[in-house]
């Protein structure tokens, strides 16, 4: 065993719930390959994303910064030109950062144009790919509607399907994400009542195996390359994100009998918080509140998760057979969860645990990590900690003035820091949603903040709304909102102060490090600016060196 991480495999699934792994306690769903990863590393059981939806969450993963800092607060909000990304940090440490799959990043085209940066140049391409060198990028959502496509970029996956003989203008939808009716008609996966039918695609050609194939191609190229450059490979899977449909045989693996009861309570519908109530009224929430919908959709979701696990098995087998498993740091996580009917909701827009808490498994091959293999850690972890961990592992001075997360290496090596955070923060800008319009909230006020501590979780809603508060110790399923309880006013005040402390942090001074500031304090600033000096006794002779000598009387020099 090499016992040292030379490379990093950063695996992210989309919309994978933390509790849909058998190692996390799911009774019906077997995920032996992810369980095997957990047995090799540490499973962090309280990992929170920085936003519960794809785009802003991923921008925090890739910058190591809160949404409050990078500003890409909703899907397809551009990430500003100039934001330092994980790829920038790693390349400065002689390490490649390569993308295979999804980023959901919207390029700042206006910023590129303003600065005169060509998108087809090296800099422009990397800025447009969220700092990665894209081996293959496919954001995996090729929807089309009356207003045009959701994503106008070319789809490598659609090109692959066409090359494999699949017909139609959009085989992503017509085959990989739809079934085929007995009459030969497309049974669209967008309609959830088709969830139990098999997708009209060969399993080996579906999205998850396709991306696994591309990852193995990349890993083999790097393994056999003459020049060995350390790399981070971000393998970013598209599934188990909706549409909820999966190819055979996974479509039939699970049934309604395998669906766990919804985590919900009638009390949640009795005078709920106005924002919570607005999200309960959405179409996706109303449908997922129906048991027949859950019994149709969740078996397909479980099939997608099982397919993901089997592809992890393929990937781990390849790494083992080629001798790369023992010198590769492997991380498995998700960009957010999925309500699936819990709390009378669908999708992932709010801050209950099924939405904002994600799986995180970290396998460090180094000898220092031997003592923690197969353990769990319940420290409060944020998604931004991964970028900090990768940069820490790559070596060099840590850019703490840019990265807002903290390295997880001490936990992996059995030496938890004594000063670890006592709360985690997540944010959601819902200003683009119909719910904001329904509530009459201005764009600047359509924002939610979550502060999760060991016991308490506060959701602060701007726009004049009261807060929400949950006691995770006595009410771990988050049924009872204590935000309006007079008996908990002191807890609300304490949690609000934590949010205020977080909001006061230094987050925008990203061009000058703390080390540079301390160096200025201790010297190197003798540039002749003598503010406050009255006479020579207030300064040193050296300070006056450039200010001594003779000069001609005024008006006597050359004109």
């Amino acid at each position: 065993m090499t016992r040292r991480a030379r490379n990093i495999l950063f695996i992210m699934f989309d919309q994978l719930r933390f509790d849909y792994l058998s190692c996390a306690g799911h009774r019906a769903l077997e995920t032996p390959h992810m369980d095997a990863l957990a047995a090799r590393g540490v499973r962090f059981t309280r990992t929170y994303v920085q936003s519960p939806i794809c785009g802003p969450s991923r921008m925090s993963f890739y910058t190591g910064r809160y949404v409050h800092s990078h500003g890409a607060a909703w899907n397809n909000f551009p990430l500003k030109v100039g934001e330092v990304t994980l790829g920038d940090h790693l390349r400065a440490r002689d390490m490649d950062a390569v993308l295979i799959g999804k980023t959901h990043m919207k390029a700042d085209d206006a910023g590129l144009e303003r600065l005169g940066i060509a998108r087809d140049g090296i800099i422009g391409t990397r800025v447009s790919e969220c700092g990665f060198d894209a081996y293959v990028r496919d954001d995996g959502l090729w929807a089309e509607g009356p207003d045009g496509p959701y994503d106008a970029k070319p789809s490598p996956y659609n090109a692959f399907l066409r090359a494999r003989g699949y017909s139609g203008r959009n085989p992503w939808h017509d085959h990989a994400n739809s079934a085929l009716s007995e009459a030969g008609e497309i049974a669209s996966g967008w309609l959830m009542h088709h969830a139990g039918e098999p997708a009209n695609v060969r399993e080996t050609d579906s999205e998850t195996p396709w991306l696994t194939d591309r990852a193995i191609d990349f890993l083999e190229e790097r393994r056999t390359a003459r020049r060995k450059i350390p790399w981070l490979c971000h393998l970013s899977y598209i599934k188990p994100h909706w549409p909820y449909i999966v190819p055979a045989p996974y479509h039939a693996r699970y049934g309604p009998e395998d669906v766990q009861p919804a985590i919900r309570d009638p009390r949640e519908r009795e005078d709920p918080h106005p924002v919570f109530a607005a999200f309960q009224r959405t179409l996706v929430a109303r449908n997922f509140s129906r048991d027949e919908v859950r019994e149709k959709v969740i078996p397909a979701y479980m099939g997608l998760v099982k397919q993901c696990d089997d592809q992890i098995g393929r990937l781990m087998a390849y790494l083992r057979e080629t001798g790369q498993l023992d010198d590769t740091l492997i991380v498995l996580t998700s960009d957010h969860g999925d309500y699936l009917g819990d709390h009378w909701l669908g999708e992932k827009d709010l801050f209950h645990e099924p939405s904002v808490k994600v799986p995180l498994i970290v396998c460090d091959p180094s000898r220092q990590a031997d003592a923690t293999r197969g353990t769990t850690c319940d420290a409060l972890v944020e998604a931004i900690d991964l970028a900090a961990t990768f940069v820490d592992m790559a070596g060099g001075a840590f850019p703490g003035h840019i990265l807002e997360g903290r390295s997880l290496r001490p936990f992996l090596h059995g030496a938890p820091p004594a000063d670890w955070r006592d709360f985690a923060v997540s944010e959601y800008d819902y200003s683009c949603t119909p719910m904001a319009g329904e509530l009459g909230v201005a764009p600047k006020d359509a924002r939610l903040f979550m502060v999760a501590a060991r016991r308490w979780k506060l959701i602060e809603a701007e726009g004049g709304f009261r807060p929400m508060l949950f006691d995770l110790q006595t009410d771990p399923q988050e049924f009872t909102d204590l935000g309006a309880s007079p008996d908990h006013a002191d807890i609300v005040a304490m949690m609000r102060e934590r949010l205020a402390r977080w909001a006061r942090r230094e987050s925008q001074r990203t061009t000058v490090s703390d080390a540079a500031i301390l160096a200025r304090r201790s010297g190197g600033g003798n540039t002749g600016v003598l503010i406050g000096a009255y006479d020579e006794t207030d300064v040193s002779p050296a300070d006056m060196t450039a200010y001594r000598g003779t000069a001609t009387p005024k008006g006597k020099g050359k004109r």
Side-chain angles (χ1 to χ4, degrees):
M1 193 183 237
T2 303
R3 316 293 275 173
R4 181 180 67 84
R6 171 180 171 82
N7 302 313
I8 300 171
L9 181 58
F10 174 23
I11 303 169
M12 181 183 291
F13 290 99
D14 199 314
Q15 211 151 316
L16 174 61
R17 282 179 51 147
F18 75 95
D19 53 349
Y20 272 64
L21 307 178
S22 50
C23 64
H26 198 285
R27 295 191 300 273
L29 182 56
E30 295 181 358
T31 52
H33 304 295
M34 297 188 203
D35 293 356
L37 278 178
R40 287 176 51 87
V42 176
R43 183 166 65 88
F44 293 88
T45 61
R46 292 201 69 187
T47 301
Y48 292 101
V49 290
Q50 266 48 78
S51 182
I53 61 170
C54 299
S57 173
R58 287 170 175 271
M59 295 311 99
S60 287
F61 272 106
Y62 304 150
T63 62
R65 293 167 58 73
Y66 293 103
V67 179
H68 201 241
S69 299
H70 62 65
W74 210 64
N75 290 343
N76 295 320
F77 280 22
L79 183 68
K80 298 187 296 291
V81 171
E83 281 292 329
V84 184
T85 64
L86 178 59
D88 297 319
H89 290 295
L90 295 182
R91 276 189 294 275
R93 290 156 177 79
D94 299 318
M95 191 173 194
D96 286 343
V98 177
L99 168 70
I100 298 172
K102 176 177 181 175
T103 64
H104 213 125
M105 184 261 193
K106 173 71 172 175
D108 182 6
D109 290 327
L112 289 168
E113 183 177 354
R114 184 180 72 252
L115 297 173
I117 300 174
R119 281 201 62 164
D120 57 357
I122 293 177
I123 295 174
T125 299
R126 284 175 172 165
V127 168
S128 301
E129 299 291 1
C130 209
F132 293 104
D133 292 320
Y135 188 81
V136 58
R137 176 179 173 180
D138 194 299
D139 282 352
L141 192 55
W142 305 107
E144 299 176 277
D147 294 334
Y150 178 83
D151 191 336
K153 296 189 300 294
S155 165
Y157 181 60
N158 259 337
F160 165 80
L161 289 176
R162 292 188 193 100
R164 298 284 287 176
Y166 293 90
S167 60
R169 186 169 48 85
N170 186 0
W172 171 85
H173 170 264
D174 299 351
H175 292 275
N177 286 281
S178 293
L180 190 66
S181 74
E182 292 183 1
E185 297 292 326
I186 295 170
S188 176
W190 288 117
L191 304 179
M192 292 190 292
H193 78 96
H194 293 309
E197 302 166 33
N200 186 27
V201 66
R202 290 183 292 271
E203 191 274 330
T204 53
D205 294 338
S206 58
E207 290 155 286
T208 305
W210 173 68
L211 280 174
T212 304
D213 289 342
R214 302 290 76 75
I216 291 174
D217 290 344
F218 166 78
L219 295 171
E220 183 65 13
E221 287 178 17
R222 286 305 180 98
R223 185 182 72 85
T224 58
R226 179 176 302 176
R227 187 179 175 205
K228 305 294 186 185
I229 301 174
W231 47 260
L232 175 143
C233 174
H234 179 37
L235 173 55
S236 184
Y237 285 105
I238 295 160
K239 295 297 184 180
H241 193 282
W242 40 255
Y244 302 107
I245 193 165
V246 63
Y250 295 98
H251 78 291
R253 187 176 183 106
Y254 303 100
E257 67 278 5
D258 299 311
V259 176
Q260 298 189 49
I263 302 170
R264 64 190 184 200
D265 190 284
R267 289 173 293 169
E268 296 179 285
R269 290 180 150 179
E270 298 171 2
D271 191 26
H273 188 282
V275 176
F276 185 19
F279 278 91
Q280 286 185 26
R281 289 190 290 268
T282 62
L283 177 64
V284 67
R286 296 197 311 271
N287 276 332
F288 268 109
S289 295
R290 297 162 51 197
D291 289 339
E292 67 269 25
V293 173
R294 297 185 74 250
E295 290 173 359
K296 179 78 73 169
V297 170
I298 291 178
Y301 179 84
M302 293 170 66
L304 288 167
V305 174
K306 179 58 180 171
Q307 186 188 35
C308 290
D309 184 72
D310 287 346
Q311 292 303 308
I312 290 296
R314 281 187 62 212
L315 193 58
M316 294 305 107
Y318 165 81
L319 289 172
R320 187 178 297 107
E321 291 163 6
T322 56
Q324 299 180 77
L325 189 61
D326 292 331
D327 64 357
T328 303
L329 179 79
I330 300 173
V331 171
L332 187 146
T333 191
S334 178
D335 59 351
H336 51 71
D338 192 333
Y339 275 106
L340 295 173
D342 291 348
H343 303 285
W344 311 99
L345 295 171
E347 272 288 78
K348 59 271 183 173
D349 297 85
L350 298 181
F351 297 108
H352 298 91
E353 300 285 272
S355 171
V356 76
K357 193 166 81 169
V358 294
L360 176 60
I361 299 170
V362 183
C363 304
D364 179 358
S366 71
R367 293 186 182 279
Q368 294 93 324
D370 284 350
T372 62
R373 300 196 192 285
T375 64
T376 60
C377 176
D378 65 354
L380 289 166
V381 171
E382 296 181 325
I384 54 176
D385 294 335
L386 285 181
T389 302
F390 299 150
V391 172
D392 180 29
M393 293 286 194
F398 187 79
H401 60 300
I402 302 174
L403 293 173
E404 297 190 280
R406 297 182 62 180
S407 175
L408 298 176
R409 177 150 57 169
F411 293 104
L412 302 174
H413 294 177
D419 62 344
W420 193 251
R421 69 172 62 89
D422 56 3
F423 63 91
V425 174
S426 188
E427 309 166 64
Y428 184 29
D429 178 336
Y430 66 102
S431 58
C432 288
T433 70
M435 288 69 81
E438 178 186 334
L439 293 165
V441 180
K444 68 181 180 64
D445 291 327
R447 293 181 298 139
L448 303 171
F449 297 88
M450 178 206 79
V451 183
R454 302 296 301 181
R455 177 173 180 177
W456 303 100
K457 180 188 286 186
L458 176 85
I459 293 96
E460 184 72 272
E462 296 296 305
F465 299 109
R466 69 166 178 84
M468 291 172 263
L469 180 71
F470 297 98
D471 185 341
L472 300 178
Q473 179 175 303
T474 63
D475 178 29
Q477 294 184 312
E478 303 172 281
F479 291 152
T480 304
D481 178 4
L482 302 169
S485 164
D487 294 338
H488 294 83
D490 56 339
I491 301 298
V492 169
M494 175 190 71
M495 297 297 282
R496 279 178 160 170
E497 172 51 33
R498 287 175 165 175
L499 179 61
R501 188 198 329 159
W502 170 83
R504 293 193 300 267
R505 75 197 184 282
E506 170 53 59
S507 63
Q508 299 302 311
R509 177 181 42 82
T510 58
T511 57
V512 181
S513 69
D514 287 357
I517 288 174
L518 293 173
R520 291 187 186 186
R521 288 185 189 176
S522 59
N526 295 333
T527 58
V529 179
L530 307 178
I531 296 174
Y534 177 70
D535 59 24
E536 289 84 355
T537 63
D538 291 328
V539 296
S540 70
D543 290 329
M544 297 298 298
T545 300
Y547 301 144
R548 290 195 175 94
T550 59
T552 59
K554 61 183 179 181
K556 299 298 184 180
K558 293 182 179 180
R559 292 183 182 274

